């Protein structure tokens, strides 16, 4: 959008953090600021400091009676395991399968086991409506993904799921064409990053993502409860 | 911070405590709904955003750090970021039309932008905003409360975009110096 007026580097970073918190930036500049916050803890701390400085401005906003949306919210967050699933459609790419370090197989939809150690990840990005929750049962090697926010990919495009381990090499786990899916994926461990990229219909023509990575999340041990 | 009931609930939510999540909704949704409505302008959008906000709260509660701020501050930041992202993602033609709706909603009291609770923590920012030129103070509050963009601020204040940015950045740095004293 506009050029940033010249300021000493420290003040420039702080003014940018303030602009981000205030919300005046256009979308590309907002996204750039978010990317910087992810990569630069000092910049993220500036954002936190500005959130605290400006927070008293929200004191002026009188609460309004809010509708009780908890049923809808809980339905999104805690889908009932017994509910029949519909519309799962994962396709594996031939190249992805052979290249994958992970042995994967498409399973018919089945209830996720509720016991045993579980890993979870929430695949999100700040400016991305798409949100996917992942739950991995370590004992059965079952990975369940549920789209909790955002729309399906547009016509002519597909969401593609990748697992990225310590070697940094993405391995395709297939295409995500609808709201949820269950796959068998052996050997996933805490710290492995799941990522979804936007690809041409049919998936990336290469063994790596070619489109923008929309959301990511790292697998971590689920807290019980 | 020890009396931060919202922060305490957030830490329980981080432990996947669904009862705490319900209490958190009961305690905080009216505030966040008001924040979202101010920025988004319509109830339908605010309601949709509210669902998204609490979905994110559940998924991200583990990142809440009580040492870095009050629970409500963290919640308001999530709500404002979501609302502003949605605002900035709108096609330009819609933004123009909706900004009038926002103004109608937010300006329902006389002098709304200059009316701040002068209580406790709020006193310092009120004092420091008072040291800025009135139009710059109004620009900061308008942006925070209504989600006004640089483009909208420049139009409101009748100055070029780059001028607006230059003086808003300087004003923000002056605000920081005053508040951090």
């Amino acid at each position: 959008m506009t050029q940033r007026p010249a300021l000493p580097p420290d003040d420039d970073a702080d003014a940018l953090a303030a602009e981000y918190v205030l919300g005046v930036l256009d979308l590309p500049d907002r996204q750039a600021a978010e990317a910087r916050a992810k990569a630069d803890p000092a910049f993220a701390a500036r954002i936190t400091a500005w959130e605290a400085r400006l927070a008293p401005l929200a004191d002026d906003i009188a609460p309004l009676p809010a509708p009780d949306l908890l049923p809808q919210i809980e339905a999104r967050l805690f889908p009932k395991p017994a509910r029949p699933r519909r519309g799962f459609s994962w396709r594996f790419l031939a190249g992805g399968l052979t290249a994958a370090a992970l042995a994967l197989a498409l399973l018919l939809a089945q209830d996720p086991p509720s016991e045993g150690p579980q890993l979870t990840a929430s695949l999100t990005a700040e400016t991305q409506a798409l949100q996917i929750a992942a739950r991995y049962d370590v004992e059965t090697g079952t990975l369940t993904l549920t789209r909790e926010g955002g729309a399906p990919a547009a016509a002519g495009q597909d969401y593609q799921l990748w697992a990225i381990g310590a070697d940094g090499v993405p391995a395709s786990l297939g295409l995500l064409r609808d709201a949820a899916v269950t796959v068998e994926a052996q050997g996933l461990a805490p710290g492995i990053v799941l990522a979804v990229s936007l690809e041409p219909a049919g998936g990336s023509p290469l063994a790596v993502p070619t489109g923008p990575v929309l959301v990511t999340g790292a697998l971590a041990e689920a807290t019980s409860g | 911070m020890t009396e931060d009931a919202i922060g305490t609930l957030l830490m329980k939510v981080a432990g996947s405590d669904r009862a705490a999540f319900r209490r958190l909704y009961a305690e905080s949704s009216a505030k966040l709904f008001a924040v979202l409505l101010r920025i988004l302008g319509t109830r339908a959008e605010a309601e949709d955003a509210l669902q998204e906000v609490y979905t994110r709260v559940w998924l991200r509660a583990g990142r809440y750090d009580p040492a870095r701020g009050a629970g409500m501050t963290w919640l308001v930041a999530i709500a404002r970021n979501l609302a502003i992202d949605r605002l900035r993602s709108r096609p330009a033609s819609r933004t123009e039309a909706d900004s009038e709706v926002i103004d109608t909603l937010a300006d329902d009291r006389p002098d709304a932008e200059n009316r701040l609770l002068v209580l406790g923590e709020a006193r310092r920012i009120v004092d420091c905003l008072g040291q800025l030129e009135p139009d710059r103070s109004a620009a900061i509050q308008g942006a925070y409360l209504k989600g006004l963009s640089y483009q909208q601020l420049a139009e409101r204040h009748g100055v070029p975009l780059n001028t607006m940015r230059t003086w808003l950045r300087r004003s923000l740095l002056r605000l920081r110096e005053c508040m951090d004293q």
Side-chain angles (χ1 to χ4, degrees), chain A residues 102-126:
Chain A
L102 310 163
L104 301 168
L106 182 62
L107 292 184
L108 294 174
Q110 64 176 37
D111 294 346
S114 57
E115 292 172 25
Q118 307 271 311
L119 303 179
T120 59
S122 48
L123 281 62
T124 61
E126 285 292 340

Side-chain angles (χ1 to χ4, degrees), chain A residues 27-39:
Chain A
L27 199 58
D29 285 355
R30 273 185 75 71
Q31 289 170 334
E34 274 158 15
R36 180 168 171 182
K38 279 191 176 173

Side-chain angles (χ1 to χ4, degrees), chain A residues 1-210:
Chain A
M1 49 182 279
T2 57
Q3 291 220 317
R4 293 222 296 276
L7 285 172
D10 232 39
D11 281 349
D12 180 71
D14 218 51
L16 185 63
E19 290 173 307
Y20 172 75
V21 172
L22 203 53
V24 288
L25 299 174
D26 63 17
L27 199 58
D29 285 355
R30 273 185 75 71
Q31 289 170 334
E34 274 158 15
R36 180 168 171 182
K38 279 191 176 173
D40 177 356
F43 185 70
R46 291 181 191 277
I47 287 177
T48 305
W50 273 106
E51 283 169 351
R53 277 188 201 106
L54 297 177
L57 290 174
D59 291 352
D60 191 42
I61 301 176
L64 292 170
D68 180 11
L69 301 175
L70 262 176
Q72 292 95 312
I73 294 164
E74 291 184 322
R76 284 165 74 166
L77 286 171
F78 320 122
K80 293 197 169 53
R83 197 171 61 182
R85 298 182 191 182
R86 282 173 275 180
F88 299 171
S89 171
W90 281 77
R91 275 192 354 203
F92 290 98
L93 302 173
L97 253 189
T98 49
L102 310 163
L104 301 168
L106 182 62
L107 292 184
L108 294 174
Q110 64 176 37
D111 294 346
S114 57
E115 292 172 25
Q118 307 271 311
L119 303 179
T120 59
S122 48
L123 281 62
T124 61
E126 285 292 340
T127 56
Q128 180 54 247
L130 184 66
Q131 289 192 38
I132 294 170
R135 177 168 284 270
Y136 180 66
D137 187 300
V138 176
E139 287 178 4
T140 63
T142 306
L143 178 64
T144 305
L145 296 114
T146 310
R147 194 176 73 224
E148 294 179 330
Q157 295 181 311
D158 269 319
Y159 294 137
Q160 188 164 0
L161 180 72
W162 307 82
I164 306 162
D167 60 0
V169 179
S172 175
L173 300 191
L175 301 181
L176 176 50
R177 287 205 162 147
D178 222 313
V181 72
T182 301
V183 298
E184 191 174 14
Q186 297 300 329
L188 295 185
I192 286 182
V193 171
L194 300 177
V196 171
S197 66
L198 186 63
E199 301 291 347
S204 169
L206 305 174
V208 294
T210 57

Side-chain angles (χ1 to χ4, degrees), chain B residues 5 11 17 19 25 29 32 36 44 57 60 89 134 147 153 156 162-163:
Chain B
M11 285 185 281
D17 181 338
Y25 187 89
S29 58
L32 297 190
L36 293 167
V57 167
R60 297 182 189 174
S89 303
L153 288 170
R156 282 189 160 214
N162 281 314
T163 306

Side-chain angles (χ1 to χ4, degrees), chain A residues 20 22-23 25 27 30 34 126-127, chain B residues 32-42 45-50 52-53 56 75-90 95 102 143-148:
Chain A
Y20 172 75
L22 203 53
L25 299 174
L27 199 58
R30 273 185 75 71
E34 274 158 15
E126 285 292 340
T127 56
Chain B
L32 297 190
F33 185 61
V35 168
L36 293 167
L37 189 57
R38 284 276 186 120
I39 296 175
L40 292 170
T42 69
E45 283 182 286
E47 289 182 11
D48 186 66
L50 194 65
E52 189 85 13
V53 165
R56 291 187 182 185
L75 291 176
V76 167
I78 288 183
R80 287 188 67 257
N81 279 333
L82 177 78
I84 291 166
D85 283 343
R86 289 193 172 187
L87 211 54
R88 298 285 172 267
S89 303
R90 284 178 184 172
T95 309
I102 296 162
Y144 188 88
L145 295 172
K146 302 179 196 171
L148 298 179

